[in-house]
Each structure stands twice: as C-alpha cells, then as structure tokens.
Amino acid sequence: MKKIYIKTYGCQMNVYDSERMYELMKPHGYKISETYEDSDLIILNTCHIREKAAEKIYSELGRIAPHKRNSSKKGKQLNIVVAGCVAQAEGKEIVKRQPLVDVVVGPQTYHRLPEILNRLSNKSRKIIDTDFPIENKFDELKKIRMNKNPAAFLSIQEGCDKFCSFCVVPYTRGSEYSRPVLDIISEAKNLIQQGAKEICLLGQNVNAYHGKYRNKTLSLDELIMEVANLSGVERIRYMTSHPVDMTDGLIAAHGKVDKLMPYLHLPVQSGDNNVLKSMNRKYSAENYLKIIDKLKNVREDMAFSSDFIVGFPGETEQAFKNTLKLVDEVKYCQAYSFKYSRRPGTPGSILQGQVAEEIKIERLAELQIILNEQQLSFNKTFVGKEFDILLERRGKMDDQLVGKSPYMQAVHILTKDSKIGDIVKAHILNADKNSLTGSLYN
Ligand code: SAH
Ligand code: SF4
Ligand code: F3S
C-alpha cells in the first residue's frame, strides 16, 4: 500500500475535489495518510482567493521540500502535486518558485491525475496540466463515491460568470457549468447508500444552476424537489448563493420543502450601494434586505450567514457605516469577514481609492465584534429549547458526539446509545459563540 497525503485549502468545492482525487487514486493502491512525512504522494489542493491564501502554499511547499530531498537520498520516490486554484492561476510559475513540485493540475483536469502520475514515473520531468479540457471531468470521475460522512457534499455547478470586480474565481474555475440532473441524482443515491443523511449541493454560484433533465432544464428549486423525493435524504442544503439568483421559486421552496434546512449562506459583501456597484454585485442593499424578508415570510426560523469584504477601493467611512447598518438589520447567525485583498488581473486591483491597511484592520475589527455578538446571541436563543441534530463525528471527550443543528451550529452531547449518522433530538443546555452543548431529549 502506498500513502497519499491531501491538504485542502479554500472553499467546499475544494473539499469535494479532494475527496474525488482520493477516490481516483485509491484503486491505484493508495491509502490516506494524516501526515506528509510518511507519504508517497502529497497533494496540496489550493486556494487563490486572497493573497495570504496563495502565499500559504509556498510556505507549506517550503516545509515539505527538505523532506522530499531526504526521501530522494534514501531512494524513495515522493511526488508533490499542486492542485486547485493556485495551480490554475499560476501554472508553471509554481515550479519555477519551488522546483521540487512534480505536477501542477487545475480544478478541471484533476481527473487525469492517475494517468499524469503514470507518465511521471516513466520520465522524470514536470507535468503542468491546467487546460480547460474538452472532456468533462465529471464524466471521467469514478461513478462510485466513497464518502462515508453522514453529511456529504455534492458538486452540482461549477465556475462563475458574475465577475465581481474583486474576485479571481471566474478566472480559476472558468465559466458556469451545471451538471445534468440525472447525474446528480445518481450521485446522490450513491451517497445515501454509503450512509449520507444530509446532502449539501455545492457550486460557486449554486443558485444559478440550470441543469439538463430529459428535454428540459431544471432550476435549483426544481432540482431540490427531485433530491427531496429520494428516500434516505433527511436534510438538504445548498451553497454558495448569489443574491441576484435568489428567484421567487427558490425562496418559495424554503416554505415548501421540509427537508430544506432553514439556514442560508447569502454573501452580501457590503451594505453600501456605491461599493456594491463598483464590486459589480448587481444588487442594492435594499434588494438584499427584501430577499431576506421574503425568506423569513415563507419560513420564519430562517437563519442567515454572509461574507463581508471591508476596505474595498472607494469604501468611505460612511460606506462602512452602511455595512454596519445592514448587519444590524439582518442579525446574522454567523459570518465570514475579510480585508480586501488586491488580486492581480481583477478589475478591483486597479481601481482608484485603495484603502490603507490600518483602516482595513480597524474596520475589520469593528465589524467582527458586532458579528461575533450576533452569533453569540443567536446561539443563546436556543438554550432551554430542543431541535434535531445530525451526529457527524466524535468529540474530544469519551462518549461525546458532535452533531449539527438545522442552523449549522455544532452541538456537543454525551451519549452511549447513539452513533454517528443518527438524527437525535437534543435539549440545549448551554451556548457559546462557536458551539452548543446539549443532552438527549427523553
Ligand atoms: N461565490 C461566492 C463567494 C466565493 S469567494 C459569492 O458569490 O459570494 C468567498 C468569499 O471570499 C467571498 O464571498 C468574498 O467575501 C471573499 N473574497 C473574494 N475575493 C476577495 C478578495 N479579493 N479580497 C477579500 N476577500 C475576498
Ligand atoms: Fe466570485 Fe462574485 Fe463569482 Fe462569487 S459571484 S465566485 S464573488 S465572481
Ligand atoms: Fe479558493 Fe478556488 Fe474556492 S480560489 S475559494 S478554492 S474556488
């Protein structure tokens, strides 16, 4: 048995791709290793979204390099693969900066990995494969999933045609593509057979989904209904959504489909209309708030999370205040917030009015204090109440299991009678910012 070490950075799409890469390599005699030190193949599945994310890869490669040199001295072949969005964006630059990298493979070509590694063992040269190929990777990937998690990711859409002015994704993942409905259904059935109870439909722009179904095209809400009809699926989620693609049909699905969880990640980025315009987000703060209202009208317990960027070029003190005002109106259950990072090649990077780093730091801190408070008070509203949780993993203590609430909160419980994969009713005893503790409800 050979060993493979896969480290995943970035978004859930990368988590999904990493699982698929392992599924590709397993039939070639590989099993997962938790550390790179004892592996024969190292894959870094990378993210290019912010400068820091990309730089992390080079530091990690720097740590791995001496280990590769030592392995070669001992006559052991260790292959290093850089996959994901840095691979797509930087291609052969990666090998120039770190010559010990053997293979660079993009998000649309990783299905070729077994063949690439085979070529590599025949000739010792670098292989860079970052095409947007004619063949579809999903057709080439294994049809049988090996995912044993009770909550599984299923990629239904890839790429993005929105071109927000700060973002690299349209360049690293290419243009929008929706997988055909029957392929998705067959993968969903396969995941259910392996024990999945929750399916999270993934896409960079998931609610722009429009996949072929016989002689018509289904939208995301129609696909959700199809998935909800599969027996064995208990919970459905989708991410990441763009506000302009929150159609009335999709909003209505939240009121109609019980299996659709009452939680939505709906990134707003900013609460200021001028900033939103120059970000090319194509909605106003008012439009966004209207969508939130409509969702609460169809399902009153809907909880929302978001992404924010502070210090986008042209963000004035007043513009930043407008973001705080929007946050105050929505009351998020959770959120991610970032300082704007200039990404070469994106329109935002050459805009006038770049904001000083000190101001970005201050604004981020101010925003995060409020978001953290909102998260804590959201969690505290559940103390003394109960809801179903899906048990997903072991906790740190004996007999402790960690489950997920309908609203994506982690819930710790002590139990001898339940197992991973069960859905149990938990009575919430305590809440802090990052998790809840509960006991089983009898
Ligand atoms: N498709 C999703 C987001 C994908 S990227 C959407 O449309 O919202 C995830 C998050 O990273 C974004 O929501 C944004 O908040 C952040 N992000 C993207 N580019 C960034 C940049 N250049 N600087 C800082 N944050 C960025
Ligand atoms: Fe990036 Fe905008 Fe596309 Fe999201 S919608 S992936 S932020 S370009
Ligand atoms: Fe990062 Fe690529 Fe995802 S840039 S956020 S890994 S699509």
Side-chain angles (χ1 to χ4, degrees):
M1 257 324 200
K2 287 179 279 185
K3 287 192 176 167
I4 178 172
Y5 171 76
I6 307 182
K7 185 159 181 179
T8 310
Y9 301 80
C11 64
Q12 274 78 6
M13 304 291 291
N14 264 11
V15 175
Y16 176 88
D17 290 341
S18 290
E19 284 168 9
R20 304 302 316 250
M21 283 190 248
Y22 174 54
E23 287 167 7
L24 280 169
M25 295 314 299
K26 190 163 184 256
H28 297 271
Y30 284 91
K31 74 171 206 215
I32 283 282
S33 161
E34 299 301 325
T35 60
Y36 66 76
E37 281 89 352
D38 66 348
S39 58
D40 306 274
L41 175 61
I42 297 176
I43 301 180
L44 301 185
N45 195 11
T46 63
C47 173
H48 199 242
I49 201 84
R50 285 167 290 276
E51 192 181 354
K52 252 198 199 143
E55 282 308 311
K56 254 192 213 162
I57 307 308
Y58 291 103
S59 353
E60 184 70 10
L61 287 171
R63 270 190 294 275
I64 295 171
H67 174 63
K68 168 148 179 162
R69 279 187 215 105
N70 279 341
S71 302
S72 311
K73 274 185 212 146
K74 289 183 200 147
K76 179 179 165 185
Q77 176 157 1
L78 167 64
N79 290 324
I80 303 179
V81 175
V82 176
C85 292
V86 176
Q88 191 63 44
E90 300 191 1
K92 57 179 184 300
E93 288 305 309
I94 297 175
V95 180
K96 274 198 199 140
R97 254 179 95 169
Q98 182 47 269
L100 290 173
V101 170
D102 301 285
V103 173
V104 176
V105 69
Q108 305 310 334
T109 43
Y110 70 77
H111 58 279
R112 296 174 175 168
L113 256 184
E115 176 258 324
I116 289 175
L117 290 166
N118 198 20
R119 260 195 284 155
L120 196 68
S121 56
N122 295 337
K123 296 178 200 140
S124 60
R125 63 180 173 88
K126 312 285 173 199
I127 297 179
I128 320 281
D129 190 349
T130 53
D131 305 347
F132 284 106
I134 305 163
E135 82 269 14
N136 182 328
K137 86 171 171 212
F138 290 106
D139 294 336
E140 307 295 322
L141 290 171
K142 302 260 166 256
K143 297 291 174 251
I144 308 295
R145 299 294 316 272
M146 290 189 309
N147 188 310
K148 300 268 186 263
N149 296 335
F153 290 132
L154 202 177
S155 213
I156 65 164
Q157 180 277 338
E158 265 207 283
C160 182
D161 297 338
K162 293 279 190 297
F163 290 92
C164 300
S165 58
F166 50 82
C167 185
V168 296
V169 171
Y171 314 95
T172 61
R173 293 274 171 167
S175 62
E176 253 175 58
Y177 165 76
S178 295
R179 291 177 71 188
V181 173
L182 293 177
D183 288 5
I184 295 168
I185 296 296
S186 121
E187 191 170 326
K189 282 186 180 158
N190 203 253
L191 287 165
I192 298 163
Q193 268 168 14
Q194 324 265 337
K197 299 272 175 69
E198 173 178 308
I199 291 187
C200 180
L201 305 172
L202 288 184
Q204 262 92 25
N205 227 303
V206 74
N207 54 344
Y209 177 83
H210 53 281
K212 281 210 169 55
Y213 183 59
R214 306 208 162 100
N215 52 2
K216 24 176 217 183
T217 301
L218 297 198
S219 54
L220 180 60
D221 48 306
E222 293 167 319
L223 174 70
I224 288 171
M225 314 272 183
E226 294 294 323
V227 176
N229 283 337
L230 299 175
S231 70
V233 177
E234 305 287 342
R235 294 177 156 199
I236 301 170
R237 303 179 187 274
Y238 58 94
M239 71 185 294
T240 295
S241 298
H242 191 293
V244 295
D245 293 317
M246 283 311 297
T247 59
D248 286 342
L250 184 54
I251 293 173
H254 280 274
K256 284 195 279 203
V257 184
D258 288 341
K259 291 178 180 178
L260 190 55
M261 289 292 102
Y263 166 95
L264 183 65
H265 183 59
L266 193 63
V268 68
Q269 313 299 353
S270 163
D272 181 77
N273 288 341
N274 290 329
V275 172
L276 286 170
K277 191 154 198 270
S278 87
M279 284 178 163
N280 193 28
R281 291 290 289 183
K282 301 192 173 76
Y283 54 83
S284 63
E286 294 74 23
N287 297 151
Y288 180 87
L289 291 170
K290 216 176 269 168
I291 297 166
I292 300 275
D293 264 358
K294 283 188 189 172
L295 282 156
K296 281 191 190 151
N297 281 338
V298 296
R299 187 151 178 184
E300 61 175 4
D301 65 335
M302 279 297 293
F304 299 97
S305 68
S306 179
D307 295 339
F308 294 90
I309 295 177
V310 299
F312 187 74
E315 186 187 68
T316 59
E317 198 51 43
Q318 183 54 48
F320 175 61
K321 293 251 150 47
N322 290 339
T323 298
L324 299 183
K325 187 161 156 271
L326 179 136
V327 169
D328 188 52
E329 279 181 50
V330 177
K331 308 243 177 318
Y332 288 99
C333 67
Q334 208 247 323
Y336 300 95
S337 43
F338 312 100
K339 289 181 288 174
Y340 170 64
S341 168
R342 271 170 106 156
R343 307 307 286 128
T346 61
S349 66
I350 49 167
L351 282 178
Q352 301 285 307
Q354 299 286 331
V355 175
E357 183 64 15
E358 311 84 77
I359 296 180
K360 288 184 193 168
I361 294 171
E362 269 172 35
R363 289 183 186 166
L364 186 67
E366 193 176 343
L367 174 63
Q368 287 182 340
I369 288 172
I370 299 167
L371 292 169
N372 288 342
E373 283 169 1
Q374 291 193 347
Q375 186 169 342
L376 179 63
S377 41
F378 176 78
N379 286 350
K380 282 200 183 293
T381 58
F382 294 96
V383 175
K385 299 196 177 137
E386 60 267 343
F387 47 46
D388 285 345
I389 60 172
L390 169 61
L391 297 173
E392 291 184 7
R393 58 189 161 91
R394 245 159 243 305
K396 287 196 182 117
M397 284 149 63
D398 288 346
D399 297 329
Q400 189 184 46
L401 292 180
V402 187
K404 195 160 66 202
S405 80
Y407 314 98
M408 288 292 273
Q409 297 141 303
V411 184
H412 294 79
I413 58 161
L414 291 175
T415 173
K416 283 192 196 309
D417 307 323
S418 313
K419 55 180 191 317
I420 290 174
D422 288 351
I423 294 182
V424 294
K425 205 168 266 311
H427 179 78
I428 303 307
L429 303 168
N430 217 332
D432 59 32
K433 188 187 139 261
N434 294 317
S435 66
L436 309 175
T437 35
S439 64
L440 284 197
Y441 188 72
N442 303 303

